[in-house]
Amino acid sequence: MSLQIGIVGLPNVGKSTLFNALTDAGAAVASYPFTTIDPNVGVVAVPDKRLDLLAALIQPDKVVAATVEFVDIAGLVAGASQGAGLGNQFLGHIRAVDAIAMVVRGFADPDVAHVEATLDPLADIAAVDTELLLADLATIERRMEKIHVQSKANPREYEAEVALLERAVAHVDAGRLLASLPASDVERDLLAGLGLLSVKPRLYVVNADEDDLPAGGPLARPVLEHAAASGAEAVVLCAQIEADLQEWPADEATEYRSELGLVEPGLNALIRAGFRLLDLISFFTATGGEVLHVWELRRGSTVLEAAGKIHSDMQRGFIRAEVVQAEDLLAAGTMAHAREHGQVRLEGRDYVVRDGDVLHIRFAL
């Protein structure tokens, strides 16, 4: 199953406009396809300059990019944790995704009503976080009630989990996201297994006025500071401009972005930030020079796991892998020249794949 990023936020902050811009961006370039899985899930290709350069070098018949899935989640309203609005549906959709892209409103438009009388992006973030924390608190309390029943026969078996949940409750009561709770990997896996919402990695997306690009203006500044303080990523863009420019000729769109001070589409920055948020890396394969394929892989994964990503037969019959970094291959010009310069290595099954590796898996059927 693919990893997913949920686009969340209050109503009328531009989530759907952003999602539609992402889908159009994916469809606009043949090498970076967009596929709709259902009405509110889209698969978007990850822009990668290395892919373009390798394609120019290898000249394959087909190019397949790495992808990220985005889910357009309905707007949250106060009281969602108690079922207000689309509360249960909203929270259920967040539970299903692996990470969160929180869109906050950084634009003023009298024709687009805001849920509050004044524009305050930090207050909007706090409103969403409050609902996530209240939902998490209810989930933890239900788990503790279940443990109370189960632990009667052997209370020591549940001591560690109870201690963790008590720490989690204190953390939530202090208004802090569970993502910031100090915990071991085992404890984090336990919390993740409960379907908690505030443990999910996140990035902030400031939907700014066109006139405030590229920095985002005064409404973006506190969000960027908040993201930096919490160790999260943040992206500033104008969703409407991104959507509109998908309809323009490429050269005119590039020229207009330059006039706005943008070096690339804001969507590209968002997609790459989402890819990093999921802790993914990219590796390349070039099957007989016919198909150049970029694969997404969890950081820290071995080449044996990468082989399984390509095909289960490769993982079962794995012998070894030829490995060269994309930059080295591009500099050498051919795989043969890269070998001559000692830049192609043979690695065993325990080799940890690096971002930008070009792999040729040797395997036996």
Side-chain angles (χ1 to χ4, degrees):
M1 181 178 177
S2 298
L3 298 174
Q4 295 183 332
I5 299 173
I7 301 176
V8 306
L10 298 176
N12 294 338
V13 297
K15 297 185 309 302
S16 293
T17 301
L18 177 61
F19 179 80
N20 290 337
L22 282 167
T23 65
D24 287 342
V29 182
S31 299
Y32 301 145
F34 163 78
T35 304
T36 299
I37 297 175
D38 62 43
N40 64 342
V41 180
V43 182
V44 181
V46 179
D48 192 330
K49 292 181 180 179
R50 299 169 302 185
L51 177 62
D52 300 328
L53 294 171
L54 286 170
L57 176 68
I58 298 171
Q59 297 186 347
D61 296 330
K62 184 179 180 181
V63 175
V64 181
T67 59
V68 174
E69 287 191 8
F70 285 90
V71 183
D72 184 18
I73 296 176
L76 172 145
V77 297
S81 56
Q82 281 77 47
L86 296 174
N88 293 331
Q89 179 182 351
F90 171 88
L91 297 171
H93 286 162
I94 295 180
R95 285 193 177 92
V97 300
D98 301 282
I100 294 171
M102 186 180 294
V103 182
V104 295
R105 181 165 169 170
F107 66 91
D109 186 341
D111 295 327
V112 180
H114 189 51
V115 292
E116 300 294 341
T118 58
L119 293 178
D120 185 345
L122 291 185
D124 293 352
I125 292 171
V128 175
D129 284 345
T130 295
E131 298 305 322
L132 301 186
L133 290 171
L134 288 172
D136 281 353
L137 188 59
T139 299
I140 294 170
E141 289 174 345
R142 286 194 298 271
R143 176 57 185 164
M144 292 186 77
E145 289 172 2
K146 190 172 183 179
I147 289 175
H148 179 71
V149 175
Q150 294 175 330
S151 64
K152 289 180 178 178
N154 187 7
R156 299 185 68 177
E157 181 181 349
Y158 294 92
E159 282 180 355
E161 183 177 356
V162 169
L164 172 62
L165 295 179
E166 288 175 346
R167 285 166 46 213
V169 169
H171 204 74
V172 170
D173 284 342
R176 297 194 295 267
L177 302 178
L178 288 172
S180 65
L181 176 70
S184 67
D185 290 342
V186 172
E187 290 173 330
R188 292 218 165 275
D189 288 343
L190 192 153
L191 292 175
L194 296 178
L196 299 174
L197 305 175
S198 69
V199 299
K200 295 181 184 294
R202 69 166 61 181
L203 66 88
Y204 296 97
V205 184
V206 181
N207 187 14
D209 268 318
E210 176 183 349
D211 293 341
D212 289 327
L213 295 174
L219 289 173
R221 196 171 302 118
V223 179
L224 300 179
E225 292 172 352
H226 176 75
S230 59
E233 291 200 54
V235 175
V236 176
L237 50 76
C238 175
Q240 190 59 59
I241 285 296
E242 295 292 339
D244 291 345
L245 290 182
Q246 302 305 321
E247 308 297 325
W248 290 31
D251 56 342
E252 293 181 17
T254 298
E255 182 179 352
Y256 190 68
R257 287 192 182 96
S258 180
E259 293 175 5
L260 294 174
L262 303 173
V263 297
E264 66 172 348
L267 299 178
N268 287 7
L270 171 59
I271 295 166
R272 286 197 299 269
F275 198 72
R276 292 191 300 269
L277 185 69
L278 295 170
D279 205 21
L280 298 174
I281 62 170
S282 298
F283 72 91
F284 302 85
T285 60
T287 309
E290 297 176 358
V291 180
L292 175 60
H293 201 308
V294 192
W295 306 85
E296 57 271 22
L297 188 69
R298 283 283 197 183
R299 188 179 305 278
S301 297
T302 66
V303 71
L304 185 65
E305 292 170 307
K309 180 84 176 179
I310 301 169
H311 199 286
S312 58
D313 286 346
M314 285 190 174
Q315 189 172 43
R316 281 193 296 269
F318 181 89
I319 300 173
R320 58 185 175 272
E322 287 186 320
V323 183
V324 59
Q325 269 282 298
E327 288 81 359
D328 292 335
L329 178 57
L330 289 167
T334 66
M335 187 66 94
H337 287 158
R339 287 194 183 94
E340 291 172 5
H341 289 90
Q343 293 166 322
V344 180
R345 311 182 311 279
L346 289 178
E347 300 286 359
R349 62 178 56 209
D350 294 329
Y351 170 73
V352 175
V353 178
R354 296 165 55 201
D355 184 57
D357 275 347
V358 181
L359 302 181
H360 177 69
I361 308 294
R362 298 182 182 180
F363 67 105
L365 291 174

